[in-house]
């Protein structure tokens, strides 16, 4: 992942919004209209999803897992 993709990521933007001093945030920032608890909830879901995806790809061989999932899906129909 390049640094440009990391800096322009929505998740990174929300994390930076939460740790910045409230006086340094622009009043026109659209995140000002969203409750902080909702931003934290969104970040938690995003990071848990990323962690789960990363864990699956590191523990299981990815290609057999996908073919197994496809075969199970196709057998149900």
């Amino acid at each position: 992942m390049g640094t440009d993709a990391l800096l322009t990521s929505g998740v990174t933007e929300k994390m930076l919004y939460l740790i910045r001093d409230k006086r340094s945030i622009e009043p026109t920032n659209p995140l000002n209209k969203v409750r902080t608890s909702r931003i934290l909830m969104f970040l938690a879901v995003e990071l848990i999803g990323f962690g789960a995806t990363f864990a699956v790809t590191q523990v299981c061989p990815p290609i057999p897992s996908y073919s197994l999932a496809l075969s199970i899906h196709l057998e149900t129909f």
Side-chain angles (χ1 to χ4, degrees):
M1 178 174 211
T3 55
D4 186 47
L6 186 61
L7 293 174
T8 59
S9 169
V11 175
T12 306
E13 179 184 345
K14 288 168 186 63
M15 285 179 174
L16 290 174
Y17 175 81
L18 291 173
I19 63 172
R20 281 192 184 124
D21 187 23
K22 298 300 177 194
R23 293 176 285 165
S24 67
I25 298 173
E26 296 178 16
T28 59
N29 191 331
L31 290 175
N32 289 336
K33 298 176 184 176
V34 182
R35 286 189 285 177
T36 305
S37 62
R38 300 295 181 197
I39 297 172
L40 285 170
M41 199 165 37
F42 174 80
L43 283 174
V45 169
E46 286 287 317
L47 293 175
I48 289 170
F50 170 74
T53 304
F54 189 75
V56 166
T57 59
Q58 294 300 313
V59 174
C60 305
I63 293 178
S65 301
Y66 293 132
S67 62
L68 177 64
L70 285 174
S71 66
I72 292 171
H73 177 70
L74 293 175
E75 288 177 10
T76 59
F77 292 107

